[in-house]
Amino acid sequence: MKKNIKKLYLLKIPLAAILSILLVITVFTLTSCNKNSSGDGSSDKGTTTLYVYNWGEYISDGSDGSLDVNAEFEKYYYETYGKKVKVNYSTFSSNEDMYAKLESGAVSYDVVIPSDYMIARMIANGMLAELNFDNIPNAKYISDKFRGEAAYYDPEEKYSIPYTYGMVGIIYNAAEIPEDEPNLGSWALMWDPKYSGNILQFNNSRDAFGTAQYFLGLDVNDSDPASWQKAYDMLLEQKAVVQGYVMDEIFNKMGSGSAMVAPYYAGDFFTMYEDNDDLAFYYPKEGTNIFVDAMCIPNCTRNKELAEIYINFMLSEEIAVANAEYICYASPNTLVAENEEYIEYTQEIHPDAIDILYNSAEAIPTSYYQNLDEEQLERLNTLWDNLKIESKIGTSIYVISGIIIAALAVFFIVNAIINAKRRKMWDKVAENVSDDRS
């Protein structure tokens, strides 16, 4: 009985009071999330939490007999410093998603691994902390190929340390697409109507526009609106043959054979190849994107020194090799590139793996995505939103809709006529019955 009385009492609480309570709860939740349990990331049990934000499928995580890198760091840190640490590891599917989450301020991370152009944007917007290289001595093992001009996104090399690098290519199902297909070797394969409904496209604006820009021979860093409009028109044309826009979903779709053609990062091809050995790969002859993903520390970190120790740990030979073997991306770490075990392991995955990752791209024109100014970013976002809304079947939809409306109109008219005739017939029947009775 008391429960019923309590319910009746709650119903009398003013709506404003309820909303006030909900607001307090929401603010408290967001504040707690932003602080990650406490100001320095420590839990009540004396364990410090390190928040790491990385791409999906982008670290050796202990699955399939691989080394669990984060667990190894927790063990290493306790043995070296006598303190407990817990790595809270979460993933994102695109640079844009990562940036939006950090910019919102709702959460705080200690280590993030964005791509080059996004690093440049984050530096420009004051979102990254300068690294203390005294805590990262293993940075010396990064190849000179990724220093100086190659580090255009971080020219003073203050904010980032390369983690992996690679290029975008096209993955296709060789069991479904013949060797004499004239569009093999070109971006044109992604626009080929013969494979309509079996073509995938990137579900992020920069990479998707890049496929069209490289195909058309356009500068992917151009500030000319007309250039981006041409790429948009090309992507709009492609929409009629695209099965879907994907990121991590590509692993299942290409691995299972439910799609035939997709652009993606070279390293991920080998992961898919392990699930489906009918898959093949090439770098499009028109040119493609080369990228570097690097480890950075957001300026909102509450564990900067710990984050630097984590980055240094990631650069040690055993850990760097474990990551390179697991994710199959090219490594800028000389300890990896010169490791015989790594070379042998990679060639077992695919006989051309080392060549694809480190050598075969030399004959292909490449360029980095550079950070776009705010005006161009807004233009790109608008075009991308429009693309996702637009449909190449718009005219057909109107035609079909017109036919359906016309059919419905005919149906109702015919039905009305039939009903009128029926009413007239029953009126006559009723009149005859009435005459008979009289």
Side-chain angles (χ1 to χ4, degrees):
M1 188 66 183
K2 288 182 179 180
K3 290 182 180 180
N4 292 333
I5 293 174
K6 187 174 182 180
K7 285 181 181 179
L8 290 172
Y9 174 76
L10 286 173
L11 289 173
K12 295 180 180 180
I13 297 176
L15 179 60
I18 295 175
L19 291 175
S20 298
I21 293 170
L22 290 175
L23 179 61
V24 170
I25 293 172
T26 302
V27 171
F28 178 78
T29 302
L30 287 175
T31 304
S32 300
C33 183
N34 190 34
K35 290 183 178 179
N36 288 334
S37 300
S38 70
D40 61 356
S42 301
S43 69
D44 295 335
K45 298 181 180 179
T47 299
T48 300
T49 301
L50 182 75
Y51 291 84
V52 179
Y53 200 28
N54 195 4
W55 295 84
E57 305 284 340
Y58 218 41
I59 194 171
S60 181
D61 60 5
S63 61
D64 300 324
S66 65
L67 186 70
D68 188 335
V69 165
N70 286 328
E72 288 298 313
F73 176 73
E74 294 169 358
K75 179 181 177 182
Y76 159 81
Y77 191 80
Y78 182 75
E79 292 176 349
T80 305
Y81 299 95
K83 299 177 181 179
K84 293 182 180 180
V85 64
K86 173 66 177 176
V87 178
N88 186 308
Y89 186 86
S90 54
T91 64
F92 55 87
S93 61
S94 74
N95 282 295
E96 289 69 25
D97 288 348
M98 179 277 306
Y99 181 88
K101 194 166 186 180
L102 263 70
E103 187 184 38
S104 72
V107 292
S108 175
Y109 291 101
D110 301 303
V111 178
V112 295
I113 306 181
S115 299
D116 39 47
Y117 73 93
M118 189 56 70
I119 293 170
R121 183 179 178 186
M122 295 173 77
I123 292 173
N125 292 338
M127 295 173 67
L128 297 180
E130 289 191 22
L131 302 177
N132 179 359
F133 285 87
D134 290 341
N135 294 325
I136 315 174
N138 288 337
K140 65 185 178 184
Y141 296 120
I142 298 299
S143 170
D144 289 339
K145 294 179 181 179
F146 301 92
R147 301 181 184 276
E149 291 184 4
Y152 82 90
Y153 52 91
D154 183 8
E156 297 182 49
E157 301 179 46
K158 290 182 177 180
Y159 301 92
S160 63
I161 295 180
Y163 177 60
T164 62
Y165 74 98
M167 291 169 56
V168 173
I170 290 181
I171 303 167
Y172 67 98
N173 192 320
E176 301 291 343
I177 298 175
E179 292 182 8
D180 60 353
E181 164 58 56
N183 286 327
L184 281 179
S186 169
W187 286 110
L189 188 65
M190 291 185 55
W191 275 260
D192 195 326
K194 294 195 300 292
Y195 309 110
S196 179
N198 287 290
I199 298 171
L200 304 177
Q201 176 59 281
F202 281 113
N203 193 26
N204 79 72
S205 58
R206 200 69 195 270
D207 280 323
F209 270 81
T211 64
Q213 289 167 317
Y214 285 116
F215 185 22
L216 294 171
L218 302 173
D219 180 358
V220 294
N221 301 306
D222 200 343
S223 59
D224 181 7
S227 176
W228 290 88
Q229 185 63 44
K230 289 178 182 177
Y232 170 82
D233 292 341
M234 200 72 189
L235 289 174
L236 187 58
E237 177 186 326
Q238 182 197 44
K239 195 166 185 181
V241 300
V242 167
Q243 179 191 115
Y245 296 84
V246 300
M247 290 303 293
D248 288 346
E249 305 95 323
I250 190 176
F251 291 94
N252 178 58
K253 286 182 174 291
M254 294 302 291
S256 66
S258 62
M260 297 181 193
V261 183
Y264 221 62
Y265 317 110
D268 290 315
F269 159 65
F270 301 109
T271 302
M272 295 178 229
Y273 179 80
E274 288 184 292
D275 294 328
N276 183 353
D277 60 10
D278 286 330
L279 299 180
F281 179 90
Y282 64 84
Y283 294 115
K285 61 185 179 183
E286 296 91 350
T288 191
N289 168 239
I290 182 171
F291 62 87
V292 174
D293 292 339
M295 296 177 283
C296 306
I297 298 178
N299 61 10
C300 59
T301 180
R302 290 171 173 77
N303 296 288
K304 185 171 182 290
E305 184 175 346
L306 178 59
E308 290 164 344
I309 293 171
Y310 179 85
I311 290 174
N312 190 62
F313 180 78
M314 294 283 276
L315 295 171
S316 61
E317 184 169 12
E318 181 184 8
I319 301 305
V321 167
N323 282 327
E325 289 181 348
Y326 184 81
I327 66 179
C328 298
Y329 274 59
S331 175
N333 191 325
T334 55
L335 295 177
V336 175
E338 298 168 2
N339 186 286
E340 292 297 326
E341 176 192 329
Y342 164 73
I343 295 172
E344 182 179 348
Y345 174 87
T346 305
Q347 288 176 328
E348 287 178 359
I349 295 175
H350 190 286
D352 299 325
I354 294 296
D355 187 51
I356 290 174
L357 291 175
Y358 295 94
N359 303 318
S360 67
E362 294 178 359
I364 302 294
T366 61
S367 60
Y368 288 98
Y369 293 143
Q370 297 188 14
N371 184 35
L372 302 173
D373 61 37
E374 288 302 319
E375 182 180 356
Q376 183 53 54
L377 280 172
E378 184 176 348
R379 182 181 298 115
L380 173 59
N381 291 337
T382 299
L383 289 172
W384 181 244
D385 290 342
N386 290 343
L387 177 70
K388 301 300 282 291
I389 296 171
E390 284 282 357
S391 173
K392 289 296 289 181
I393 60 173
T395 303
S396 300
I397 286 294
Y398 290 125
V399 172
I400 293 171
S401 298
I403 293 172
I404 292 174
I405 292 172
L408 287 172
V410 170
F411 170 78
F412 286 119
I413 291 171
V414 171
N415 193 54
I417 292 172
I418 292 173
N419 287 336
K421 288 183 177 181
R422 285 177 178 172
R423 283 197 299 272
K424 189 174 182 180
M425 178 186 71
W426 285 111
D427 287 344
K428 286 184 177 181
V429 170
E431 185 180 345
N432 292 334
V433 171
S434 178
D435 290 343
D436 291 341
R437 286 178 177 177
S438 60

